[in-house]
Amino acid sequence: MLIEGETIAAVGAGATVQIAEGARTLDCAGLTVTAGFWNSHVHFFERKWADAATIPAAELGRQLQDAFTRYGFTSVFDLSSMWENTRRVRERIESGEVPGPRIRSTGEGLVAPGVMPSEQVLITMGVMKTPLPEINDAAQAAAAAKNLLDEDVDAIKVFAPFPEGAVEAAVREAHRLHKPVFVHPNTGADVLAAARAGVDAIAHTTPRSGPWDDTILAQMKVSGVALTPTLAVWKYFLRHDRISTQEQTVNTAIGQLRAWLAAGGTVLFGTDLGAVDYDPTQEYALMEQAGMSFSQILASLTTAPAERFGESRRLGRIAAGFQADLVAFRSLADVHYTLRAGRIIYAA
């Protein structure tokens, strides 16, 4: 593979790809090389990201490496954080000051009144206090979505429970600008309502509400939504509970993903990173338990998000003319090199 600048110039057998004398080379013998990974559910709301404009570059770069680049993530979708602060992180990456992934963000997610955890709970979770737009009805949802879109966010996020008509209103505003809408559901009924409203991605499975029935799965399929299962998050949040409770909940989430796969649905990889530990090993293992093959998991990390978010002509595959976003690894979580736009942003 030959990289020139930010793009892949050629891919082929060694005899057919001409390498200029003196070119820098990376020996990837024994490694698998794929397109860069996407994590389609992260958050920049931990306290470590606060006052992003003032974090020393070396420290910010280390935080980005620990969370993202050491695991091969070259693109991430932030699903609710303080937009002005997250934008500062992105600007410092894009300026070349610090190495890091491409960041897309919904900015602050939309919530119904009174559903946010108390400040004490947020402190315990290690999360910055972030005022979220509260919506009582469809009109307020439309206005809040429009305000965020005017601030140039990349998508809209709506948290359940939803006021009547709120998701539809947010979808209309976002789709008018060809931007996606994510929904955080609490129940299977929330998933059904979100799919009927035309959202683009369901941000979680919903194990506490039991298996998804054929009505939910059929509507998801007809509506063309994608699912980010976040299976490991349930085990993480229940880590203080009995093992039987953990297993029952996680197995229900695995069953929901298995049913979605049987329906031929699109899966996006995501961990709810920021709310859970950074290492994605357990998420990969649980996706495999749900019946996902290596190729399917890899698609959820590469081609599926590139297609879902309108980047399939330049990201998600190794081909001449594509951005040189690459990962070289022994296993999905054992990454040796991460390259973004032809630049090494992580080396083990």
Side-chain angles (χ1 to χ4, degrees):
M1 188 190 319
L2 177 63
I3 299 170
E4 293 180 350
E6 297 184 354
T7 46
I8 299 169
V11 182
T16 65
V17 178
Q18 298 300 312
I19 307 296
E21 185 176 350
R24 183 180 184 185
T25 61
L26 286 182
D27 182 1
C28 294
L31 304 178
T32 299
V33 182
T34 71
F37 296 162
W38 294 59
N39 191 327
S40 297
H41 191 153
V42 309
H43 295 281
F44 283 91
F45 56 25
E46 292 175 277
R47 289 194 297 269
K48 66 173 60 177
W49 307 112
D51 300 318
T54 64
I55 301 173
E59 185 176 10
L60 180 59
R62 183 177 173 184
Q63 291 182 183
L64 290 164
Q65 174 178 293
D66 289 349
F68 305 111
T69 58
R70 67 170 295 184
Y71 296 113
F73 296 119
T74 56
S75 295
V76 300
F77 224 126
D78 163 65
L79 303 189
S80 189
S81 67
M82 193 178 300
W83 170 228
E84 191 58 34
N85 192 67
T86 300
R87 178 156 48 185
R88 293 285 179 257
V89 178
R90 179 164 74 182
E91 288 171 350
R92 295 184 69 181
I93 294 171
E94 297 307 316
S95 72
E97 181 188 4
V98 293
R102 288 181 178 81
I103 298 173
R104 293 164 177 79
S105 178
T106 65
E108 295 85 354
L110 311 186
V111 298
V115 302
M116 282 294 292
S118 68
E119 187 169 355
Q120 185 57 47
V121 170
L122 294 176
I123 291 171
T124 303
M125 292 174 62
V127 174
M128 291 184 278
K129 184 178 180 180
T130 305
L132 302 183
E134 293 190 343
I135 52 173
N136 285 289
D137 52 36
Q140 289 183 357
K146 185 177 185 304
N147 287 340
L148 285 162
L149 293 162
D150 287 346
E151 291 293 322
D152 205 28
V153 298
D154 302 289
I156 296 296
K157 169 79 171 286
V158 185
F159 288 87
F162 327 120
E164 184 175 354
V167 180
E168 291 87 344
V171 167
R172 283 193 297 271
E173 290 296 325
H175 286 185
R176 182 172 55 84
L177 297 177
H178 308 289
K179 294 187 176 183
V181 176
F182 295 80
V183 155
H184 172 119
N186 293 327
T187 65
D190 294 337
V191 174
L192 180 61
R196 286 173 172 166
V199 305
D200 301 275
I202 304 295
H204 291 287
T205 43
T206 62
R208 293 185 179 90
S209 63
W212 288 343
D213 61 27
D214 290 342
T215 301
I216 295 171
L217 294 165
Q219 185 64 60
M220 291 172 67
K221 184 65 175 174
V222 167
S223 299
V225 303
L227 171 67
T228 308
T230 64
L231 303 174
V233 73
W234 308 118
K235 191 168 186 177
Y236 181 82
F237 285 149
L238 293 172
R239 63 193 183 279
H240 303 301
D241 290 275
R242 290 174 55 179
I243 288 177
S244 57
T245 301
Q246 295 178 36
E247 290 179 343
Q248 181 179 0
T249 303
V250 174
N251 286 339
T252 301
I254 287 172
Q256 291 172 347
L257 174 56
R258 186 179 292 119
W260 180 232
L261 292 167
T266 298
V267 176
L268 306 175
F269 182 85
T271 54
D272 206 356
L273 192 149
V276 299
D277 291 336
Y278 295 156
D279 188 341
T281 300
Q282 189 171 71
E283 189 69 26
Y284 294 138
L286 292 173
M287 293 171 84
E288 187 176 357
Q289 284 184 41
M292 292 187 74
S293 66
F294 174 83
S295 294
Q296 287 176 310
I297 295 173
L298 185 61
S300 77
L301 287 158
T302 55
T303 52
E307 291 169 4
R308 177 67 39 166
F309 304 128
E311 297 282 11
S312 60
R313 293 186 178 183
R314 71 185 192 109
L315 297 174
R317 293 192 296 123
I318 293 178
F322 274 56
Q323 285 275 295
D325 283 17
L326 305 165
V327 186
F329 55 87
R330 291 198 185 279
S331 65
L332 287 173
D334 182 14
V335 170
H336 285 238
Y337 296 110
T338 303
L339 283 75
R340 183 191 156 189
R343 177 188 177 194
I344 299 172
I345 58 173
Y346 172 72

